[in-house]
Amino acid sequence: MDGSTRAHTLVHDMLRTGRRVVLTAATSHDLVPFIDASVRAQVWAVVSDPSDPEQIDSIIERADDLVGPVVMIVDPGGLLADVAAADRQVA
């Protein structure tokens, strides 16, 4: 999450279709709008550094255990340092 309207719209669209979503941001401020009782079973929010591939790898691994297989990575703000590596991990 980068705090942008575009990112918020993408997440809301995914939640409306019933998908479970793992969100990460460098600060909790960008995650707070999605920590809501109405979507608590659909959202797992984690504060992390998106430029740290090790943190992103760890989140992807834990997400698989907590919410099921990760099938897509969305990076609307271009914050992930190594998108290709993350994509390979979920493919």
Side-chain angles (χ1 to χ4, degrees), residues 2-59:
D2 62 358
S4 70
T5 301
R6 180 177 176 214
H8 283 240
T9 299
L10 285 168
V11 173
H12 284 296
D13 288 348
M14 286 185 232
L15 292 172
R16 271 193 289 279
T17 63
R19 287 186 173 90
R20 289 177 287 183
V21 180
V22 175
L23 303 173
T24 188
T27 67
S28 60
H29 179 267
D30 293 331
L31 300 173
V32 168
F34 301 100
I35 302 173
D36 182 306
S38 68
V39 294
R40 75 171 182 261
Q42 289 177 269
V43 175
W44 181 49
V46 182
V47 175
S48 73
D49 178 358
S51 68
D52 183 343
E54 289 182 19
Q55 288 185 38
I56 298 304
D57 288 349
S58 176
I59 291 168

Side-chain angles (χ1 to χ4, degrees), residues 20-23 42-44 46 55-73 86 88-91:
R20 289 177 287 183
V21 180
V22 175
L23 303 173
Q42 289 177 269
V43 175
W44 181 49
V46 182
Q55 288 185 38
I56 298 304
D57 288 349
S58 176
I59 291 168
I60 292 170
E61 289 174 23
R62 294 213 42 227
D64 190 59
D65 294 336
L66 294 169
V67 299
V70 177
V71 296
M72 178 178 17
I73 295 175
R88 284 191 301 275
Q89 191 171 350
V90 301

